[in-house]
Amino acid sequence: MSLVSMAQLLLDAQQGQYAVGAFNCNNMEIVQAIVSAAEAEKSPVIVQASQGAIKYAGIEYIAAMTRLAAEQASVPVALHLDHGTSFAQVMSCVRNSFTSVMIDGSKLPLEENIALTNKVIEAVRPLGISVEAELGKIGGTEDDITVSEKEALFTDPAEAERFVSETKVDALAIAIGTAHGQYKGVPELDFQRLTEIRKRVNVPIVLHGSSGVPNEAIQEAISLGVCKVNIDTNIREAFVAAARKVMVDHPQEIDPRKMLGPAREATVAIIREKIRLFGSSGKA
Ligand code: G3H
Ligand code: 13P
Ligand code: ZN
């Protein structure tokens, strides 16, 4: 199948009360693992690349690998820019056959976030490319801030309503207590805030920083309107643990395929687990 736009995948998920997994890729093995896992689960899937992934692998490689994986698959695959921060980056993805972009203006004042998001929407929507934006600040687990400082960065429901009505964005990433990376403790999600946002906003909601969030909390978030769940850290953990095990068990091994093969298999396994958790198995 050719790459598809993300918007319809998320609208179907919203209708069916499940979420589509958005999995970060950095190399060929991870792209293959994401699409194989989706194929095995008969699930739609979003392959996403951060600016760091694009810098590491090259945008042409990320796009070509994902396009090929999608063409060989029978399930719908979208290719999405994760946390794009500039118009130029978005356009570079557009030129390289991405079917969806995130424009993350969450560090900007509200008016500027709205203006940047609208500039992107105007440019890419006529091309059938979907747009995710972020409101509120989803930090990293390393951020050394107190609970009240963290809550001050959460998405304000009234602002979310204004943001969506003034941008008509396809999906909105919100801050309700998750963070990127490995958590030190167990994250607590602000479900009341999510409920309030859902009441005021009708577009699909995106949960970032979802690795390490307890399964029950992920399911609760999906039942309250989350339609896209982003996973990166759990992939890194599975991939590296499997490769490391080969290096430790067989220190003389010099064939990279003997390390990256098991790493790819471990990645398929964790992604299949997530797809089942998100309820998108069999929805392709
Ligand atoms: O949102 C953050 C993702 O985990 C991407 O991380 O910028 O290190 O590729 P990265
Ligand atoms: P995690 O690395 O915490 O899973 O977050 C992924 C993410 O939100 C990518 O945008
Ligand atoms: Zn993120």
Side-chain angles (χ1 to χ4, degrees):
M1 236 189 226
S2 298
L3 288 168
V4 301
S5 163
M6 186 177 79
Q8 193 57 47
L9 299 187
L10 297 189
L11 290 174
D12 290 346
Q14 191 171 34
Q15 182 90 25
Q17 293 214 334
Y18 59 90
V20 182
F23 301 101
N24 285 71
C25 71
N26 287 284
N27 60 16
M28 180 190 77
E29 285 77 9
I30 298 177
V31 171
Q32 290 174 329
I34 296 168
V35 178
S36 301
E39 183 78 26
E41 291 295 330
K42 300 194 179 358
S43 167
V45 78
I46 298 157
V47 174
Q48 58 186 13
S50 68
Q51 294 172 51
I54 287 171
K55 195 165 165 211
Y56 171 75
I59 194 162
E60 292 91 351
Y61 278 87
I62 296 271
M65 291 187 297
T66 310
R67 215 169 37 228
L68 182 61
E71 278 163 11
Q72 292 179 347
S74 61
V75 295
V77 180
L79 175 56
H80 177 72
L81 168 65
D82 187 31
H83 293 284
T85 47
S86 79
F87 186 74
Q89 266 163 12
V90 164
M91 294 321 282
S92 156
C93 288
V94 169
R95 284 193 293 278
N96 282 280
S97 64
F98 279 55
T99 54
S100 182
V101 293
M102 175 179 190
I103 182 70
D104 178 356
S106 61
K107 292 196 175 67
L108 301 172
L110 180 62
E111 307 288 340
E112 287 175 40
N113 190 358
I114 290 174
L116 178 62
T117 302
N118 275 333
K119 185 174 172 191
V120 167
I121 290 175
E122 263 171 47
V124 310
R125 185 159 287 156
L127 305 170
I129 293 169
S130 43
V131 180
E132 172 183 339
E134 177 172 324
L135 189 64
K137 294 186 185 67
I138 303 151
T141 48
E142 269 85 40
D143 296 348
D144 197 14
I145 54 175
T146 64
V147 173
S148 59
E149 281 168 336
K150 199 157 62 171
E151 281 175 5
L153 306 176
F154 285 4
T155 308
D156 176 70
E159 278 190 3
E161 183 174 356
R162 176 172 166 210
F163 190 91
V164 170
S165 85
E166 291 187 22
T167 61
K168 308 280 184 296
V169 76
D170 295 298
L172 183 68
I174 58 165
I176 54 165
T178 58
H180 296 111
Q182 287 179 312
Y183 291 98
K184 290 177 197 99
V186 179
E188 276 191 35
L189 272 55
D190 187 343
F191 292 118
Q192 225 176 320
R193 187 178 296 265
L194 173 57
T195 306
E196 188 56 34
I197 294 170
R198 170 82 294 165
K199 271 193 214 145
R200 291 165 172 256
V201 154
N202 60 3
V203 295
I205 290 173
V206 184
L207 193 66
H208 282 243
S210 307
S211 298
V213 176
N215 288 353
E216 309 69 50
I218 293 282
Q219 284 176 325
E220 172 95 21
I222 293 171
S223 78
L224 295 173
V226 165
C227 303
K228 173 177 182 265
V229 180
N230 284 14
I231 297 284
D232 186 1
T233 299
N234 283 157
I235 293 178
R236 296 177 183 204
E237 290 165 344
F239 189 94
V240 172
R244 185 178 286 135
K245 183 167 186 338
V246 177
M247 291 183 220
V248 169
D249 292 352
H250 306 282
Q252 307 304 327
E253 183 57 67
I254 59 144
D255 184 344
R257 295 167 298 190
K258 297 276 168 54
M259 294 149 200
L260 299 178
R264 180 170 56 191
E265 279 168 32
T267 305
V268 171
I270 185 69
I271 294 174
R272 288 191 68 173
E273 214 177 278
K274 296 293 174 187
I275 286 174
R276 288 197 286 265
L277 174 68
F278 304 160
S280 71
S281 293
K283 304 290 187 189

mmCIF file with all atom_site columns, all heavy atoms in Angstrom, residues 87 194 222:
data_model
loop_
_atom_site.group_PDB
_atom_site.id
_atom_site.type_symbol
_atom_site.label_atom_id
_atom_site.label_alt_id
_atom_site.label_comp_id
_atom_site.label_asym_id
_atom_site.label_entity_id
_atom_site.label_seq_id
_atom_site.pdbx_PDB_ins_code
_atom_site.Cartn_x
_atom_site.Cartn_y
_atom_site.Cartn_z
_atom_site.occupancy
_atom_site.B_iso_or_equiv
_atom_site.pdbx_formal_charge
_atom_site.auth_seq_id
_atom_site.auth_comp_id
_atom_site.auth_asym_id
_atom_site.auth_atom_id
_atom_site.pdbx_PDB_model_num
ATOM 1  N N   . PHE A 1 87  ? 9.024   25.752 10.073 1.00 0.00 ? 87  PHE A N   1
ATOM 2  C CA  . PHE A 1 87  ? 8.312   25.633 8.799  1.00 0.00 ? 87  PHE A CA  1
ATOM 3  C C   . PHE A 1 87  ? 9.232   24.975 7.763  1.00 0.00 ? 87  PHE A C   1
ATOM 4  O O   . PHE A 1 87  ? 8.800   24.127 6.975  1.00 0.00 ? 87  PHE A O   1
ATOM 5  C CB  . PHE A 1 87  ? 7.881   27.035 8.341  1.00 0.00 ? 87  PHE A CB  1
ATOM 6  C CG  . PHE A 1 87  ? 7.024   27.025 7.119  1.00 0.00 ? 87  PHE A CG  1
ATOM 7  C CD1 . PHE A 1 87  ? 5.704   26.619 7.180  1.00 0.00 ? 87  PHE A CD1 1
ATOM 8  C CD2 . PHE A 1 87  ? 7.544   27.424 5.891  1.00 0.00 ? 87  PHE A CD2 1
ATOM 9  C CE1 . PHE A 1 87  ? 4.903   26.598 6.034  1.00 0.00 ? 87  PHE A CE1 1
ATOM 10 C CE2 . PHE A 1 87  ? 6.747   27.407 4.745  1.00 0.00 ? 87  PHE A CE2 1
ATOM 11 C CZ  . PHE A 1 87  ? 5.428   26.992 4.820  1.00 0.00 ? 87  PHE A CZ  1
ATOM 12 N N   . LEU A 1 194 ? -7.892  15.727 31.142 1.00 0.00 ? 194 LEU A N   1
ATOM 13 C CA  . LEU A 1 194 ? -8.139  15.106 29.830 1.00 0.00 ? 194 LEU A CA  1
ATOM 14 C C   . LEU A 1 194 ? -9.639  15.114 29.512 1.00 0.00 ? 194 LEU A C   1
ATOM 15 O O   . LEU A 1 194 ? -10.058 15.448 28.394 1.00 0.00 ? 194 LEU A O   1
ATOM 16 C CB  . LEU A 1 194 ? -7.578  13.669 29.817 1.00 0.00 ? 194 LEU A CB  1
ATOM 17 C CG  . LEU A 1 194 ? -7.888  12.808 28.592 1.00 0.00 ? 194 LEU A CG  1
ATOM 18 C CD1 . LEU A 1 194 ? -7.417  13.465 27.293 1.00 0.00 ? 194 LEU A CD1 1
ATOM 19 C CD2 . LEU A 1 194 ? -7.224  11.421 28.732 1.00 0.00 ? 194 LEU A CD2 1
ATOM 20 N N   . ILE A 1 222 ? -7.105  6.266  26.576 1.00 0.00 ? 222 ILE A N   1
ATOM 21 C CA  . ILE A 1 222 ? -7.733  5.977  25.278 1.00 0.00 ? 222 ILE A CA  1
ATOM 22 C C   . ILE A 1 222 ? -9.265  6.047  25.423 1.00 0.00 ? 222 ILE A C   1
ATOM 23 O O   . ILE A 1 222 ? -9.957  6.615  24.574 1.00 0.00 ? 222 ILE A O   1
ATOM 24 C CB  . ILE A 1 222 ? -7.268  4.602  24.739 1.00 0.00 ? 222 ILE A CB  1
ATOM 25 C CG1 . ILE A 1 222 ? -5.769  4.662  24.385 1.00 0.00 ? 222 ILE A CG1 1
ATOM 26 C CG2 . ILE A 1 222 ? -8.090  4.180  23.504 1.00 0.00 ? 222 ILE A CG2 1
ATOM 27 C CD1 . ILE A 1 222 ? -5.120  3.326  24.045 1.00 0.00 ? 222 ILE A CD1 1
#
